[in-house]
Amino acid sequence: MPKQTQELIVVTGASTGMGASAARELARRGFHVLAGVRRDRDADTIRSPGIEPVILDITEPEQVEALAARVAGDPRALHALVNNAGIQVNAPVEALPMAQWRRVFEVNLFGHIAVTQALLPALLRSKGRVINISSIGGKAAMATYGAYAGAKFALEAVSDSLRREVASLGVQVVVVEPGGIRTEMASRGVATANHLAAQMTPEQTERYGSLVQANNTLMAAGTASGVTADAAARVIAKAVTSRKPRTRYTVGRDAALIIPLIRMLSDRTLDRVLAANLRRYHPKETTA
């Protein structure tokens, strides 16, 4: 029997998209996957051989504690934690309500830290690994991406710090940085952006209305041309199973090209590149 059949993997945010695909790919490779979902109907959808759904909202301490107890009570070793749960909320810095800022950071940063803290004792015992799903937005913050990119930048920093803390203890920390992925997350992000835009003041709409529309169009285009969730899942599985994983993996051609470019360009040059790219998506002015 393969060694993997005796090991657990936790995947958060496994209801749809990359999380669901990663859970299926890892189960196919012989692991027993605890797939975190928020609703019973999502549990029914993801449940299959090798995949055990667990109700998990990573911002709810009681559910995080229940997950840790489930892992602690299993005789199998915890091989990896895949911190994948996330939401996308896009709006100009001026116009995004503080409650939304806090929600984005609770889900995209603090929730991951809470799950990591809860499962680190098990990972230390098994000399396992933490896989944090970041984003190309963790390297470049486009206009209206302040909250989302801010949380992803912070997740990158936390990952670096954690890696340097636990490497000598046998735990590896890996960051996965996807670009455009064909999942439901982008369509939900566009809907959220439109909802938030409708709440802007007339002055804010005058300042940022066309910018929001342009970013929505760009987001939809980037998603349509992106890789599939299954392709992303194979990269995640590589990070989980490689004997000596890299500290970072990109997903998709756009991430592989843009992330190295970011390191080379000055801030002003990058500003011009991003603005020129976005300009193509601004709504055309109509005349009577």
Side-chain angles (χ1 to χ4, degrees):
M1 185 176 291
K3 180 175 181 288
Q4 293 96 298
T5 59
Q6 304 304 313
E7 294 182 320
L8 301 176
I9 292 183
V10 170
V11 179
T12 69
S15 297
T16 60
M18 284 192 300
S21 291
R24 295 187 181 103
E25 177 66 20
L26 292 164
R28 186 185 68 79
R29 297 187 184 212
F31 292 100
H32 185 83
V33 180
L34 301 178
V37 298
R38 296 179 62 199
R39 295 175 290 267
D40 289 334
R41 66 174 180 269
D42 297 325
D44 294 336
T45 300
I46 196 70
R47 184 181 287 107
S48 62
I51 300 180
E52 176 187 339
V54 293
I55 298 300
L56 177 65
D57 180 335
I58 64 172
T59 68
E60 293 291 338
E62 296 83 1
Q63 294 182 15
V64 173
E65 291 170 7
L67 171 66
R70 167 67 186 83
V71 170
D74 197 299
R76 291 167 290 194
L78 178 61
H79 177 77
L81 162 64
V82 180
N83 282 314
N84 170 76
I87 57 173
Q88 186 156 350
V89 176
N90 290 67
V93 170
E94 178 189 356
L96 185 64
M98 287 307 303
Q100 289 290 339
W101 280 93
R102 294 186 176 97
R103 177 169 173 262
V104 171
F105 274 75
E106 282 291 340
V107 176
N108 290 358
L109 178 65
F110 301 135
H112 297 319
I113 295 171
V115 176
T116 301
Q117 288 181 337
L119 296 184
L120 257 179
L123 290 167
L124 288 164
R125 287 193 297 271
S126 65
K127 298 190 184 302
R129 61 189 64 177
V130 178
I131 314 296
N132 285 332
I133 309 301
S134 180
S135 165
I136 193 173
K139 296 295 188 182
M142 290 171 34
T144 79
Y145 279 73
Y148 179 82
K152 292 297 187 181
F153 266 69
L155 183 62
E156 295 263 354
V158 170
S159 299
D160 285 341
S161 184
L162 179 64
R163 186 181 69 250
R164 291 158 186 159
E165 292 166 359
V166 298
S168 64
L169 303 175
V171 174
Q172 301 183 75
V173 179
V174 181
V175 176
V176 176
E177 298 164 334
I181 309 292
R182 298 202 295 270
T183 69
E184 298 174 8
M185 186 173 183
S187 60
R188 291 196 296 265
V190 169
T192 300
N194 286 331
H195 174 72
L196 292 168
Q199 300 176 43
M200 292 194 300
T201 66
E203 294 79 9
Q204 290 170 344
T205 300
E206 183 177 355
R207 286 194 283 274
Y208 308 118
S210 64
L211 177 64
V212 171
Q213 292 181 54
N215 264 315
N216 284 348
T217 305
L218 174 59
M219 190 190 312
T223 299
S225 63
V227 301
T228 64
D230 287 346
R234 288 191 289 273
V235 177
I236 295 171
K238 185 177 182 179
V240 168
T241 59
S242 293
R243 189 171 67 86
K244 292 184 177 180
R246 302 201 301 263
T247 58
R248 281 173 169 79
Y249 291 86
T250 59
V251 180
R253 186 170 178 269
D254 53 348
L257 290 173
I258 293 171
I259 289 176
L261 187 64
I262 292 167
R263 303 190 193 106
M264 299 168 53
L265 300 179
S266 69
D267 288 345
R268 296 299 186 192
T269 301
L270 184 58
D271 288 349
R272 289 193 291 271
V273 169
L274 293 176
N277 183 52
L278 189 59
R279 199 172 297 123
R280 299 182 296 151
Y281 297 95
H282 274 265
K284 306 297 185 204
E285 293 186 5
T286 58
T287 56

